[in-house]
């Protein structure tokens, strides 16, 4: 057995590099097939000078408007082209409000502004708008008529509706003219609340078992009463993360949650007066392979098929790690029916006091009161004579007051993420369904990131595939909001610097059939008749598409590539451009039909080939081949061809890298002016130094050392370095000006500068250094 230990050690040593290699090619490193850099034509954009934080959006498709909330302004933009502004209205804080905010310790230029945070349509076609208002939130009604946005100045207190802090996460929806909001009730942000504002206002308890340091993410409503067989009520779902009260651990552990309340909840009669009687919450999990700590929810999107029941709706959620040791982000999908079942039938968690005052949360195994705690009023309750929550017995209400947490953890569909990616952190998500050429329906995920990019991804039967990544904003800034319009079929994104509008697909980015098919974009296909990559929805002809396999062998033979003529001097350098058509493709080079390999004079670049010190042997026909593997096979296509000739006259027309001197133009004139100015400055500097005596005059340079005189009084007050007496031991010790005591980071440079100055002064009799010291103790250097 002892002989086996060295063998096992060697096996681990040799298998470790293999494991690292496998990890590099794992699905966790899923990268986009195409990366599209920032260009002005990539999207329609809107930005107004001096205005920031475009992070609140309301789609008014009935008015063909995108209502955009920013810092101290609300804009009405054309829905089909947001670069066109219809109108806007300012909502700025007063000087007094700004002063009050500053006196409370907030930044007057960042915090003490009015950040628009709530924008909802009301049933009378007006809009309800709220802003942070210099840490004193306020709400108002806004109307759009005759091409003008108007604030109605019907100001309402925004506490509990809108956050105080403009950088704090919150969530809200308007449902049947009632505002449901999740934010903080106070200036310090220490009283989190889920509240319904309206005729029957109601909120959560201020208890850590209800909400414990939450970070609110999103909110949505589900019409569950519509087809309910038990007379159930509509629900409002809230997604958030919070510090786990149930965790038996030393450090704080943050977990993801989903909570829900019933639309008809009016609170209890004695217990839980004007508090939710239907507030229940459960933990959500999105298991990522290498994670030990749970991932934290950042955004959700409710996707429903209009032809299906609400039970078939899905919640897509974006998750990110809570530790800095991981750079993975994930998307998980959950069935609404699974979440609803946990709340309707699941076990509860209950706090149990252990030892002294330590509280441990365990599964409740005792009797559950009837009606069921946290349930909506349904047919069973009505049979008992309970028609509203005010009639619920105190035993049911006390139970839910103490035990709002469910025991069961909600797992995603398939028990794993739909998409995992290493790199830029995910921030927002929108999901759209499209029917492919094969008749099957595919759900395409559009994911915003911290770097201002938009990912377009599909999960094909468990295979994660990112079609493309587009840089929407010039600066690397987070996408803070992402919306989709069914009317225009466009996506709308907002960030600190502006808003952007992009289509669901840009098929024209693929110029060949192979590129179009290998993109595996369910929106796009190769039109045989038109010979271009086009939208399925706008084409009438026969299309080639293979989204699951990327089978480019279905494509007809491509037209031959016309060679480009290039020439170069002997011993010159030439770069042949060949950008790979995708991030998945590898490029190979051929010369006169023979495979090329890298050499000293042939350097393979990411976007081309570099020929160095060209000779006659380098002439010939060069071909750049793109090789890309799909699920079916490898596909090779010619990207570009070059015919290279060596011309002694150097009349090449390629991208030859020749040194060229510019003999005219504004740059030469500028250089001449700069040199002239430099000469004049140098002469002036020399004259000033001669005048001040810092430099010796030319006729004094020939004097010998012995001819120089210095009176004793001058020696005491102004020691000349070259005449200072030095012992033999002092000859090689450094000279410094003053002492630094190690407080500067430039100790070496100061010492070297002083020594250098001393050496120069050996040749000049007029240079004196004040307070020069010899260091006898080398530890003082």
């Amino acid at each position: 057995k002892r002989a086996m230990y060295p063998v096992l050690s060697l096996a681990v040593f040799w298998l470790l590099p293999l494991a690292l290699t496998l990890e590099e090619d794992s699905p966790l490193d899923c990268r986009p097939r195409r990366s599209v850099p920032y260009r002005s034509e990539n999207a329609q954009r809107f930005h107004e000078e001096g205005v920031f934080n475009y992070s609140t959006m309301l789609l008014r498709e009935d008015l063909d408007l995108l209502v955009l909330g920013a810092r101290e302004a609300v804009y009405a933009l054309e829905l089909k082209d947001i670069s066109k502004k219809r109108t806007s209205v300012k909502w700025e804080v007063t000087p007094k409000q700004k002063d009050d905010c500053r006196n409370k310790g907030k930044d007057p230029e960042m915090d003490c502004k009015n950040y628009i945070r709530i924008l909802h349509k009301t049933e009378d076609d007006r809009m309800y708008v709220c802003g942070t208002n210099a840490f004193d939130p306020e709400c108002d009604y806004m109307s759009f008529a005759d091409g003008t946005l108007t604030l109605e100045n019907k100001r309402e207190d925004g506490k509990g509706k809108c956050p105080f802090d403009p950088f704090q996460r919150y969530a809200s929806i308007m449902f049947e003219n009632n505002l449901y909001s999740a934010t903080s009730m106070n200036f310090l942000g220490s009283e989190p609340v889920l509240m319904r504002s309206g005729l029957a206002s109601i909120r959560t308890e201020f208890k850590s078992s209800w909400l414990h340091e939450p970070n609110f993410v999103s909110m949505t409503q589900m019409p569950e009463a519509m087809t309910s067989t038990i007379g159930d009520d509509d629900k409002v779902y809230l997604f958030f993360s919070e510090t786990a009260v149930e965790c038996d651990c030393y450090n704080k552990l943050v977990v993801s949650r989903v909570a829900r309340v019933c639309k008809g909840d009016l609170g209890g009669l004695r217990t839980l007066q004007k508090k939710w009687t239907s507030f229940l919450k459960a933990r959500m999990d999105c298991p990522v392979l290498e994670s030990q700590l749970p991932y934290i929810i950042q955004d959700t999107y409710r996707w429903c098929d209009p032809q299906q029941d609400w039970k078939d709706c899905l919640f897509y959620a974006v998750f990110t790690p809570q530790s800095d040791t991981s750079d993975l982000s994930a998307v998980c999908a959950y069935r609404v029916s699974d979440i609803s079942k946990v709340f309707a039938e699941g076990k509860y968690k209950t706090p149990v006091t252990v030892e002294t005052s330590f509280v441990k949360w365990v599964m409740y195994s005792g009797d559950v009161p009837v009606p069921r705690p946290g349930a909506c009023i349904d047919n069973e309750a009505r049979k008992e004579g309970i028609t509203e929550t005010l009639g619920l017995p105190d035993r049911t209400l006390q139970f839910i007051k103490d035990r709002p947490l469910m025991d069961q953890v909600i797992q995603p569909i398939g028990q794993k993420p739909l998409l995992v990616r290493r790199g830029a952190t995910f921030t927002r998500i929108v999901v759209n369904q499209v029917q492919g050429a094969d008749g099957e329906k595919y759900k395409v995920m559009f994911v915003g990131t911290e770097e201002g990019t938009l990912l377009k991804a599909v999960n094909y039967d468990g295979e994660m595939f990112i079609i493309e990544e587009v840089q929407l904003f010039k600066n690397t800034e987070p996408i803070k909001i992402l919306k989709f319009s069914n009317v225009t079929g466009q996506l709308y994104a907002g960030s600190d610097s502006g808003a952007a509008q992009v289509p669901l697909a840009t098929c024209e980015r693929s110029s060949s059939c192979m590129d179009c098919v290998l993109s595996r974009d369910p929106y796009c296909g190769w039109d045989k008749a038109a010979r271009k990559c086009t939208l399925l929805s706008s084409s009438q002809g026969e299309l080639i598409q293979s989204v699951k396999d990327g089978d480019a062998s279905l494509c007809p033979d491509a037209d031959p590539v016309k060679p480009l003529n290039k020439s170069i001097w002997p011993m010159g350098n030439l770069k042949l451009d060949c950008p790979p058509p995708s991030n998945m493709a590898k490029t190979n080079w051929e010369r006169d039909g023979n495979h090329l390999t890298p050499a000293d004079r042939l350097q393979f670049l990411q976007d081309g080939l570099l020929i160095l010190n060209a000779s006659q042997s380098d002439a010939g026909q060069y071909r750049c081949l793109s090789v890309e593997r799909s699920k079916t096979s490898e596909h090779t296509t010619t990207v570009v061809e070059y015919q290279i000739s060596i011309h002694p006259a150097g009349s090449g027309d390629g991208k030859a890298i020749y040194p060229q001197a510019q003999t005219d133009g504004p740059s030469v004139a500028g250089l001449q002016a700069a040199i002239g100015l430099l000469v004049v400055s140098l002469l002036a500097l020399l004259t000033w130094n001669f005048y001040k005596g810092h430099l010796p005059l030319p006729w004094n340079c020939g004097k010998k050392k012995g001819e120089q005189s210095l009176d004793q009084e001058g020696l005491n007050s102004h020691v000349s370095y070259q005449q200072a007496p030095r012992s033999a031991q002092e000859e090689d010790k450094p000279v410094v000006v003053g002492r630094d005591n190690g407080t500067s980071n430039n100790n070496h440079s100061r010492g070297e500068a002083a020594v250098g100055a001393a050496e120069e002064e050996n040749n000049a009799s007029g240079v004196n250094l004040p307070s020069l010291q010899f260091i006898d103790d080398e530890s003082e250097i």
Side-chain angles (χ1 to χ4, degrees):
K1 287 185 178 179
R2 290 181 181 177
M4 287 293 291
Y5 294 138
V7 177
L8 287 172
S9 301
L10 283 172
V12 170
F13 178 77
W14 286 109
L15 288 173
L16 182 60
L18 177 61
L20 292 174
T21 305
L22 290 173
E23 185 180 356
E24 288 177 2
D25 295 330
S26 72
L28 302 183
D29 293 313
C30 186
R31 54 181 179 152
R33 182 183 179 273
R34 179 188 285 120
S35 298
V36 183
Y38 173 84
R39 296 192 194 100
S40 58
E41 64 269 18
N42 281 350
Q44 303 290 347
R45 293 180 178 84
F46 175 80
H47 164 78
E48 195 158 274
E49 198 65 34
V51 180
F52 302 95
N53 204 270
Y54 302 81
S55 57
T56 310
M57 286 181 181
L58 172 62
L59 295 172
R60 288 300 304 267
E61 295 169 329
D62 55 326
L63 301 174
D64 287 328
L65 290 179
L66 173 71
V67 184
L68 181 65
R71 194 172 75 178
E72 307 210 309
V74 182
Y75 299 95
L77 311 177
E78 289 278 0
L79 190 63
K80 294 174 183 173
D81 184 356
I82 66 167
S83 64
K84 298 174 182 176
K85 183 177 80 170
R86 294 272 291 273
T87 183
S88 65
V89 61
K90 293 285 186 182
W91 188 0
E92 300 173 331
V93 296
T94 64
K96 182 182 183 304
Q97 289 171 325
K98 193 171 184 178
D99 288 341
D100 291 345
C101 177
R102 182 174 57 240
N103 293 337
K104 293 174 184 176
K106 299 302 178 182
D107 187 322
E109 296 306 316
M110 288 296 292
D111 301 325
C112 301
K113 301 279 188 180
N114 188 24
Y115 291 77
I116 306 301
R117 284 291 172 262
I118 305 287
L119 266 175
H120 294 300
K121 179 186 173 184
T122 59
E123 290 186 339
D124 57 3
D125 287 338
R126 292 186 299 167
M127 286 164 276
Y128 194 66
V129 55
C130 302
T132 58
N133 201 45
F135 269 77
D136 186 19
E138 255 188 353
C139 298
D140 199 354
Y141 287 91
M142 185 172 64
S143 58
F144 177 81
D146 301 323
T148 304
L149 276 178
T150 306
L151 285 169
E152 298 181 2
N153 286 320
K154 297 178 180 177
R155 301 293 167 86
E156 298 178 355
D157 187 1
K159 293 180 180 64
K161 303 176 184 178
C162 177
F164 286 74
D165 188 339
F167 306 106
Q168 188 180 55
R169 290 295 299 269
Y170 66 99
S172 71
I173 59 166
M174 183 73 81
F175 184 30
E176 294 182 352
N177 259 19
N178 288 312
L179 179 70
Y180 293 77
S181 55
T183 183
S184 178
M185 284 284 285
N186 64 345
F187 179 88
L188 297 175
S190 57
E191 293 182 352
V193 65
L194 166 60
M195 187 171 81
R196 182 183 66 209
S197 307
L199 294 175
S201 295
I202 189 171
R203 64 170 175 83
T204 47
E205 280 273 10
F206 292 134
K207 289 181 67 175
S208 61
S209 58
W210 283 50
L211 293 170
H212 190 208
E213 301 174 357
N215 199 23
F216 299 114
V217 168
S218 65
M219 198 183 293
T220 189
Q221 63 88 17
M222 294 298 303
E224 298 185 16
M226 191 178 297
T227 57
S228 175
T229 58
I230 60 170
D232 204 354
D233 197 4
D234 291 343
K235 311 288 196 310
V236 171
Y237 287 88
L238 171 66
F239 297 90
F240 63 104
S241 60
E242 67 172 351
T243 303
V245 292
E246 74 273 22
C247 175
D248 183 12
C249 45
Y250 293 103
N251 297 322
K252 288 184 177 181
L253 180 71
V254 179
V255 294
S256 302
R257 304 275 201 215
V258 56
R260 71 108 173 97
V261 291
C262 304
K263 182 192 73 174
D265 196 337
L266 299 174
L269 185 62
R270 290 176 295 274
T271 306
L272 293 178
Q273 283 186 9
K274 294 187 177 181
K275 309 293 193 306
W276 296 107
T277 66
S278 56
F279 179 84
L280 289 172
K281 63 179 182 178
R283 181 180 156 189
M284 299 177 73
D285 192 23
C286 182
V288 180
L289 293 179
E290 64 180 43
S291 67
Q292 294 179 338
L293 296 173
Y295 269 50
I296 305 305
I297 192 167
Q298 299 298 329
D299 191 34
T300 63
Y301 185 81
R302 187 196 73 176
W303 182 88
C304 294
D305 190 331
Q307 300 174 352
Q308 300 289 332
D309 189 60
W310 66 266
K311 293 181 180 179
D312 298 311
C313 292
L314 304 175
F315 286 127
Y316 286 81
V318 165
F319 290 82
T320 58
Q322 62 178 299
S323 68
D324 297 332
T325 58
S326 175
D327 60 349
L328 294 174
S329 297
V331 176
C332 281
Y334 304 85
R335 290 187 185 90
V336 174
S337 56
D338 292 342
I339 298 175
S340 179
K341 187 175 181 180
V342 168
F343 290 131
E345 304 173 11
K347 298 280 189 179
Y348 301 87
K349 273 192 179 296
T350 187
V352 176
T353 304
V354 181
E355 296 173 353
T356 54
S357 61
F358 178 71
V359 175
K360 186 178 181 68
W361 286 77
V362 298
M363 186 183 76
Y364 179 79
S365 55
D367 294 334
V368 176
V370 178
R372 180 179 168 87
C376 301
I377 301 299
D378 56 13
N379 294 337
E380 284 293 323
R382 293 185 188 100
K383 286 180 183 177
E384 300 294 324
I386 303 171
T387 58
E388 58 184 14
T389 58
L390 292 170
L392 288 170
D394 285 344
R395 184 165 178 259
T396 293
L397 297 178
Q398 191 62 49
F399 185 98
I400 199 63
K401 182 178 179 179
D402 297 334
R403 304 173 184 86
L405 178 61
M406 307 306 295
D407 181 69
Q408 187 175 340
V409 177
I410 297 170
Q411 295 292 339
I413 297 171
Q415 312 294 309
K416 62 182 180 181
L418 293 175
L419 176 67
V420 179
R421 193 217 182 186
R422 196 183 302 278
T425 305
F426 293 173
T427 58
R428 299 292 182 268
I429 185 170
V430 162
V431 179
N432 184 249
Q433 182 172 273
V434 59
Q435 184 169 313
D438 56 3
E440 196 167 329
K441 293 179 179 178
Y442 300 97
K443 295 179 182 67
V444 185
M445 297 173 282
F446 297 89
V447 184
T449 74
E450 285 277 358
E451 296 182 356
T453 61
L454 183 67
L455 296 175
K456 181 180 181 180
V458 189
N459 188 294
Y460 292 121
D461 297 331
E463 179 197 2
M464 306 172 196
F465 188 78
I466 301 177
I467 298 166
E468 65 180 10
E469 181 175 19
V470 183
Q471 184 78 40
L472 291 188
F473 299 100
K474 195 170 187 178
N475 302 320
T476 54
E477 55 187 332
I479 290 178
K480 292 192 169 181
I481 191 165
L482 199 58
K483 295 276 188 181
F484 171 69
S485 169
N486 283 306
V487 172
T488 62
Q490 303 266 307
L491 290 162
Y492 302 87
S495 71
D496 278 335
S497 66
Q501 171 189 354
V502 290
L504 294 175
T506 48
C507 307
E508 61 274 11
R509 287 196 181 116
S510 296
S511 57
S512 68
C513 178
M514 184 173 290
D515 189 37
C516 184
V517 173
L518 289 174
S519 292
R520 300 172 67 184
D521 189 335
Y523 293 97
C524 302
W526 183 260
D527 191 318
K528 284 185 174 181
R531 299 182 66 80
K532 67 176 183 179
C533 197
T534 185
L535 281 169
L536 267 67
S537 57
S538 62
S539 177
Q540 302 297 324
E542 185 182 352
L543 296 178
I544 300 173
Q545 188 189 68
S546 177
V547 292
K548 287 187 176 178
D549 300 324
D551 186 5
S553 63
L554 302 171
C555 287
D557 293 336
D559 295 332
V561 177
K562 186 178 180 181
L564 300 174
N565 294 318
K566 304 286 181 184
S567 56
I568 185 177
W569 274 333
M571 302 304 293
N573 305 327
L574 179 66
K575 182 189 175 186
L576 304 179
D577 286 330
C578 179
S582 84
N583 295 328
M584 309 290 191
K586 295 180 180 179
T587 52
N588 293 329
W589 284 89
E590 292 180 353
R591 182 173 62 207
D592 296 332
N594 298 318
H595 181 71
L596 277 179
T597 55
D600 290 341
R601 293 193 308 103
L602 289 175
Q603 295 189 7
F604 284 31
L605 307 178
Q606 190 173 1
D607 61 345
L609 174 69
L610 185 60
I611 303 173
L612 300 172
N613 301 325
S615 64
Q616 287 295 335
S617 63
D618 294 317
Q621 188 176 47
Y622 287 75
R623 177 183 295 171
C624 176
L625 301 172
S626 167
V627 182
E628 185 170 348
R629 172 171 286 281
S630 69
K631 288 186 72 175
T632 54
S633 61
E634 276 191 351
H635 303 283
T636 304
T637 184
T638 302
V639 180
V640 65
E641 283 188 14
Y642 294 96
Q643 185 64 48
I644 305 302
S645 56
I646 309 298
H647 285 188
S651 58
D653 57 352
K655 288 187 180 178
I657 305 171
Y658 301 132
Q660 295 182 358
Q662 185 171 352
T663 57
D664 56 1
S667 59
V668 175
L671 181 61
Q672 291 172 347
I675 292 174
L677 185 62
L678 185 62
V679 170
V680 171
S681 302
L682 186 59
L683 289 173
L685 186 62
L686 286 171
T687 304
W688 185 80
N689 277 282
F690 283 137
Y691 175 73
K692 290 291 185 182
H694 295 164
L695 291 175
L697 295 171
W699 47 82
N700 288 334
C701 291
K703 288 186 178 182
K704 296 179 181 178
K705 272 187 186 181
E707 295 175 358
Q708 299 173 9
S709 61
L710 188 68
D711 62 309
Q712 187 63 34
E713 184 181 346
L715 183 62
N716 291 336
S717 61
H718 215 106
V719 181
S720 178
Y721 169 66
Q722 57 266 37
Q723 292 182 349
R726 298 177 65 186
S727 66
Q729 291 180 352
E730 292 169 338
E731 281 297 325
D732 297 324
K733 290 188 178 180
V735 180
V736 294
V737 181
R739 288 177 63 182
D740 194 48
N741 293 331
T743 58
S744 171
N745 290 328
N746 298 318
N747 295 332
H748 298 293
S749 60
R750 288 190 179 187
E752 290 165 8
V755 174
E759 290 173 355
E760 289 178 10
E761 289 160 358
N762 277 328
N763 300 321
S765 61
V767 182
N768 298 324
L769 291 177
S771 66
L772 290 177
Q773 301 177 16
F774 293 106
I775 300 176
D776 294 323
D777 185 359
E778 291 187 359
S779 66
E780 293 183 47
I781 296 176

